[in-house]
Amino acid sequence: MTGRRVIVTGVPGVGKTTVVTGALKLLEEEGISYKSLNFGTYMFETAVAQGLVRDRDEMRKLPGDAQKRLQQAAARAMAQEEGNLLIDTHASVKTPRGFLAGLPEWVLRELMPDTIILVETDPDQILMRRLSDETRTRDREGSGAIADHQTFNRAIAAAYSMLTGCTIRYITNADHLLDLAVREMADVLR
Ligand code: AMP
Ligand code: MG
């Protein structure tokens, strides 16, 4: 039996994993459980096994066809999972050759989400968060480019809703207001 499928997206450094972790903890206290799946981790495990990369931040620099193959394999694997699923991924990935759709038609056909959440905030805040995260190799870009990426993500999310009939929800993860974002996400998942 399949449960609900919610996809959570947001530009690197917006804090989507942090919001997801908080929301799942809240729901667990109420006896609602979601299996949390990280799209990038599924892709990374295959990419490492194939000797393509050593760091997850190298994947977005791979040739487009390699990224698409990894993407499709990840979607197929995740589609086998049962119960309520929460998939942490990207509406679009910034590659050296332009934006790559994170959820092209062949991925959506596998996953068929009920809702896609876009976690967003002020581009300056994202820039500061990227600068203070030393665990990842984040792209070096200014707040104008981050703003453009968020705008593009809203546009492509509209296309995803046209393909699947899913709802699109924006959640703001502003500085000092993580609790608010966590509660909003929990409300969507309940
Ligand atoms: P993350 O840890 O969420 O930043 O994801 C790590 C990397 O996985 C990203 O930089 C992308 O290269 C890749 N990735 C994650 N989700 C997708 C997706 N839906 N389509 C293509 N690549 C993805
Ligand atoms: Mg993350």
Side-chain angles (χ1 to χ4, degrees):
M1 192 200 69
T2 27
R4 288 187 61 205
R5 292 173 167 197
V6 178
I7 295 184
V8 181
T9 68
V11 299
V14 73
K16 66 185 147 53
T17 311
T18 309
V19 180
V20 163
T21 306
L24 291 185
K25 192 159 162 269
L26 267 190
L27 291 176
E28 203 182 286
E29 290 162 10
E30 298 168 25
I32 301 171
S33 73
Y34 271 80
K35 198 177 283 180
S36 166
L37 309 176
N38 189 302
F39 202 113
T41 300
Y42 272 77
M43 287 177 59
F44 184 54
E45 281 167 5
T46 310
V48 169
Q50 296 179 355
L52 295 174
V53 296
R54 279 185 296 185
D55 182 295
R56 63 195 286 129
D57 286 314
E58 290 170 27
M59 289 193 293
R60 61 180 177 271
K61 315 280 199 268
L62 286 170
D65 57 334
Q67 293 188 60
K68 282 187 249 178
R69 273 201 308 277
L70 293 168
Q71 195 180 41
Q72 179 148 35
R76 282 215 186 106
M78 283 183 282
Q80 304 304 312
E81 296 288 343
E82 306 213 326
N84 293 328
L85 302 184
L86 193 155
I87 299 168
D88 180 333
T89 186
H90 296 273
S92 72
V93 175
K94 200 169 236 182
T95 81
R97 295 165 301 279
F99 293 124
L100 177 78
L103 305 166
E105 185 269 337
W106 58 87
V107 167
L108 287 173
R109 204 181 327 121
E110 296 285 350
L111 300 179
M112 283 308 275
D114 299 286
T115 300
I116 299 178
I117 298 174
L118 280 75
V119 180
E120 306 174 324
T121 195
D122 183 275
D124 287 323
Q125 295 180 1
I126 295 170
L127 188 59
M128 295 308 290
R129 292 175 196 174
R130 287 186 187 174
L131 289 172
S132 61
D133 178 2
E134 288 171 357
T135 67
R136 299 290 300 268
T137 312
R138 303 297 197 190
D139 286 333
R140 283 169 193 274
E141 56 185 358
S143 52
I146 295 172
D148 282 346
H149 194 181
Q150 291 198 121
T151 302
F152 182 76
N153 283 344
R154 283 192 175 199
I156 202 166
Y160 299 157
S161 79
M162 289 294 296
L163 284 168
T164 61
C166 72
T167 54
I168 302 295
R169 177 64 188 267
Y170 305 146
I171 293 180
T172 304
N173 180 29
D175 281 354
H176 315 298
L177 292 171
L178 174 63
D179 287 355
L180 186 62
V182 165
R183 281 202 303 276
E184 277 188 38
M185 190 175 292
D187 284 342
V188 175
L189 297 175
R190 247 181 216 109

